[in-house]
Amino acid sequence: MQHPEFTNWHKSNHSDDGGCVEIAYADGLIGVRDSKDPAGPILTFNRHEWNAFTAGIVDGTLTPEG
């Protein structure tokens, strides 16, 4: 389901040819989607959730295998 409030999608600077994500901001929320499937699911985070998510990636507590 597409979230119409997310309209200005930007590809991550950390994306490569095999794993691309896009992010967009709207009404205090951050949306994340697969750039190869723009009509697919969107993960939605509030600012607190986004900060925890990205901190977990940076410090290694959140990994693709975990």
Side-chain angles (χ1 to χ4, degrees):
M1 179 172 139
Q2 192 63 267
H3 294 260
E5 66 271 18
F6 296 115
T7 58
N8 196 15
W9 291 94
H10 299 278
K11 190 182 229 184
S12 169
N13 293 333
H14 300 285
S15 292
D16 60 24
D17 291 334
C20 301
V21 297
E22 296 176 316
I23 61 171
Y25 303 93
D27 300 324
L29 299 174
I30 298 101
V32 180
R33 71 179 182 186
D34 182 344
S35 64
K36 296 178 297 301
D37 186 13
I42 297 172
L43 295 174
T44 304
F45 300 88
N46 64 35
R47 177 58 62 188
H48 176 75
E49 293 165 336
W50 179 251
N51 289 341
F53 176 72
T54 56
I57 292 169
V58 170
D59 70 18
T61 57
L62 182 61
T63 64
E65 297 81 28

